[in-house]
Amino acid sequence: MTTLYSEFQNRVKKIKLLESAYSVLQWDMETYMPPNSDKSRGEQLALLSTLAHEHTVEPRVRELVNQLSQSSELTPEQAANVREIKIKLDKAAKISPELIIDLNKTMVDALTAWNQAKKAADYNIFKPYLEKLVILHKRRIEQTGYEGEPYNSLLEDYEPGITAAEVETLFAQLKVELPKILRQIQASGVKPRTDVLLRHFPVDRQEAFIRETIAEMGFDFSIGRLDRSAHPFCTSFHPTDARLTTRFDANNLRTAVGASFHEAGHGMYEQGLLIGNFGLPLGEAASYGIHESQSIFWERFVASHPGFWRHYFPRLQAAFPEALSDVSVDEFCFAWNRVEPDFIRVGADEVSYCLHVILRFELERDLFSGNIRFEDLPEIWNQKMQEYLGLTPPDAAKGILQDNHWAGCLIGYFPTYALGYMYAAQLREAAQEQIPDFDGLIERGQFAPIKQWLNQNIHRHGKMYKSKQLVERISGKPFTVMPFVNYLQEKYSRLYK
Ligand code: ZN
């Protein structure tokens, strides 16, 4: 059995190596590739993805997985690796090659149409492509099958183990609690000075501050990089090679600094996966939601903590004396944590953020159950925006066309953003109980025990557990919205008196 397992491991690792080479080229495309080199890059990417696909569908891989699935001699970790690969192969085998080609082609056209539609603020330019994408995804769901409702099949791609009905229950509670907190904040009449983040902050000094701070948090620059791109992201090719990107705005300190803290959280997860498991499911992140929980944990629960700024604000002030000499640490921290509903999800504060996600989840789910018509989407979007956040977008570019997730075939992905917040909040509660002097560590800038706790409890397990199971295992409590709601209530009643 051990020889069979090592053959399985070698084959699976080879597929991962091809996929990570693909990711290197993709990263380069977003960062350093000259603008007119896309044609040759397209050929390189197509070759690597074809090779990876060929290695995946080789009959021998299926044979090995079938034999190993029957075996009782595997360790629990080995059995989990086989289980996860089997799920992946089973799903892939059900989808027809024609449908994959059709989806990819439609996605490219949809992204182009979305770009034009957003520029013109005209939903009708994008509508036919969205309709076609939904039809193709419905076909995909028919082919793969589903449990409960069709939407579950999409959710399963990003957040295995959680159903749309469970998400609905969690979101129903957030829909009550979050607007309540928003109303309390608005009724308080207290307002931070937000101008302090919108002064002039020279970009080279921002970058120096970011590099120093995320290195102290625990992002290891000997096995990682930080570069620039149009939209911040994190990618990784191996636990010894994680790449972050950010985007600078000399007149807004949050743009690069906030995004870098967020991406560093993703990067530390990738660096914390076990090298010995590279190529196997246990060497991969548990889910998109858990990945997001790690970025939220660092961005919001560590790097927005008042103690964090008591430690770092003097350095920031020294780096930007012109902009910050007349600002106190409390004023800065309040501005950093200000709550102000906006049309745009990206950059939303932590009270309103999940309401943006809930809106998208509800629309997606209704599209797949046939409860709404495509022509009514912008109107329903605006109604929900008014209902949840008290705002009506001035046009479709600031409304339904603001994200390109649907055009990019990320349908069923949005819930992972809000689940990430809720997982992170429950993990933070557990960390506070289990790490001695959690808040004091943040205030002293001593992040090593926090990072080690995340490494031990989350990172090293890879895909051993489903996300909810992982969170419940660590916290010893059922997964609920309450840690998140309690955190917000406590924090904002203090800030907004
Ligand atoms: Zn993220």
Side-chain angles (χ1 to χ4, degrees):
M1 196 48 67
T2 46
T3 44
L4 273 190
Y5 187 81
S6 28
E7 191 190 344
F8 161 80
Q9 180 162 357
N10 287 337
R11 283 179 176 269
V12 172
K13 185 176 169 184
K14 200 182 274 179
I15 299 167
K16 188 72 193 180
L17 285 170
L18 286 163
E19 288 171 351
S20 56
Y22 181 98
S23 303
V24 177
L25 293 181
Q26 228 178 10
W27 167 83
D28 175 69
M29 212 160 85
E30 304 284 341
T31 50
Y32 292 105
M33 191 183 81
N36 291 335
S37 310
D38 50 339
K39 183 143 194 323
S40 60
R41 182 54 46 89
E43 280 183 76
Q44 293 156 346
L45 288 173
L47 174 63
L48 284 172
S49 76
T50 310
L51 285 174
H53 179 73
E54 282 171 10
H55 284 276
T56 310
V57 297
E58 249 179 56
R60 180 65 184 154
V61 177
R62 161 62 63 186
E63 238 171 73
L64 287 166
V65 167
N66 287 346
Q67 283 181 30
L68 288 166
S69 304
Q70 308 296 319
S71 165
S72 53
E73 290 165 36
L74 301 180
T75 65
E77 287 76 17
Q78 291 173 333
N81 281 323
V82 174
R83 172 196 76 205
E84 290 300 318
I85 295 289
K86 188 169 186 304
I87 293 172
K88 201 170 144 184
L89 292 182
D90 286 348
K91 195 158 194 177
K94 289 178 188 160
I95 305 169
S96 68
E98 297 76 28
L99 179 58
I100 295 175
I101 294 168
D102 214 356
L103 269 168
N104 278 319
K105 207 192 148 312
T106 310
M107 178 178 82
V108 173
D109 296 342
L111 283 165
T112 309
W114 172 80
N115 258 315
Q116 291 165 353
K118 190 174 178 186
K119 267 189 207 119
D122 182 359
Y123 167 72
N124 285 325
I125 299 176
F126 178 55
K127 185 171 137 267
Y129 297 90
L130 180 63
E131 284 192 70
K132 180 148 190 223
L133 279 175
V134 170
I135 291 169
L136 293 176
H137 277 84
K138 281 184 175 167
R139 203 170 298 156
R140 187 178 183 274
I141 294 169
E142 273 163 32
Q143 293 182 358
T144 58
Y146 60 89
E147 275 173 46
E149 63 183 282
Y151 186 80
N152 283 340
S153 165
L154 302 174
L155 202 52
E156 185 79 15
D157 286 342
Y158 305 108
E159 207 59 22
I162 286 200
T163 63
E166 282 175 280
V167 172
E168 185 189 358
T169 308
L170 294 164
F171 285 2
Q173 289 166 277
L174 290 184
K175 271 166 75 174
V176 175
E177 299 295 338
L178 300 182
K180 221 194 286 176
I181 300 174
L182 272 182
R183 280 194 299 272
Q184 284 166 352
I185 289 173
Q186 282 156 349
S188 74
V190 182
K191 274 205 167 93
R193 290 173 62 184
T194 44
D195 70 294
V196 303
L197 298 173
L198 305 174
R199 296 176 176 179
H200 186 66
F201 299 95
V203 163
D204 52 337
R205 283 185 260 159
Q206 285 193 43
E207 185 169 350
F209 174 76
I210 289 168
R211 286 181 180 277
E212 188 177 277
T213 312
I214 64 176
E216 288 178 7
M217 284 177 178
F219 182 76
D220 184 347
F221 276 98
S222 75
I223 50 170
R225 287 184 59 90
L226 171 71
D227 296 273
R228 296 181 191 191
S229 65
H231 301 284
F233 67 91
C234 165
T235 184
S236 163
F237 320 129
H238 191 270
T240 61
D241 196 349
R243 309 290 175 102
L244 318 176
T245 70
T246 195
R247 172 170 56 104
F248 288 93
D249 178 347
N251 300 312
N252 187 341
L253 188 65
R254 264 203 95 98
T255 307
V257 177
S260 304
F261 292 162
H262 182 94
E263 299 306 333
H266 283 304
M268 285 189 263
Y269 190 179
E270 292 293 332
Q271 291 181 338
L273 295 167
L274 295 186
I275 293 175
N277 283 337
F278 174 75
L280 293 163
L282 262 53
E284 284 175 18
S287 72
Y288 284 85
I290 295 291
H291 223 309
E292 193 63 10
S293 80
Q294 297 306 287
S295 54
I296 298 292
F297 193 97
W298 286 99
E299 179 197 0
R300 302 288 191 176
F301 301 148
V302 176
S304 300
H305 193 289
F308 178 90
W309 286 115
R310 279 194 286 275
H311 185 74
Y312 281 103
F313 186 68
R315 275 195 225 178
L316 204 59
Q317 227 172 4
F320 304 103
E322 311 86 341
L324 295 174
S325 57
D326 66 332
V327 181
S328 74
V329 60
D330 287 343
E331 281 173 320
F332 181 84
C333 188
F334 194 10
W336 192 263
N337 286 292
R338 65 96 185 77
V339 172
E340 203 176 327
D342 192 83
F343 311 115
I344 308 295
R345 175 186 59 87
V346 180
D349 62 76
E350 55 188 355
V351 181
S352 44
Y353 186 88
C354 290
L355 294 169
H356 287 270
V357 175
I358 293 171
L359 179 154
R360 288 152 175 78
F361 163 72
E362 291 175 345
L363 292 184
E364 282 185 342
R365 204 178 172 203
D366 281 348
L367 278 180
F368 280 87
S369 60
N371 283 348
I372 43 178
R373 296 180 310 173
F374 287 89
E375 54 265 43
D376 298 335
L377 266 184
E379 188 49 41
I380 301 175
W381 178 290
N382 291 355
Q383 279 166 9
K384 282 184 187 281
M385 202 66 176
Q386 184 62 45
E387 187 187 334
Y388 301 164
L389 290 162
L391 301 166
T392 301
D395 58 39
K398 289 199 168 65
I400 191 163
L401 295 172
Q402 65 180 268
D403 324 281
N404 66 0
H405 289 58
W406 291 341
C409 280
L410 289 173
I411 303 176
Y413 181 96
F414 277 114
T416 69
Y417 288 130
L419 289 167
Y421 257 99
M422 290 184 264
Y423 296 146
Q426 189 148 337
L427 293 172
R428 170 189 165 270
E429 206 178 78
Q432 256 178 335
E433 285 163 16
Q434 295 168 23
I435 305 172
D437 197 21
F438 177 80
D439 297 287
L441 290 170
I442 295 176
E443 177 135 14
R444 292 190 297 279
Q446 293 169 343
F447 304 114
I450 299 172
K451 194 188 135 215
Q452 276 157 15
W453 186 86
L454 294 169
N455 284 153
Q456 281 304 313
N457 286 292
I458 296 155
H459 306 171
R460 76 185 171 95
H461 295 300
K463 279 196 192 316
M464 183 73 190
Y465 309 104
K466 299 268 182 269
S467 28
K468 203 172 67 174
Q469 192 188 4
L470 182 67
V471 171
E472 293 183 342
R473 216 178 152 261
I474 298 165
S475 61
K477 289 170 190 161
F479 171 54
T480 70
V481 302
M482 286 327 286
F484 181 47
V485 172
N486 291 338
Y487 157 80
L488 293 176
Q489 250 155 6
E490 207 183 295
K491 173 172 173 174
Y492 290 99
S493 55
R494 210 176 324 114
L495 274 173
Y496 283 87
K497 320 275 187 280

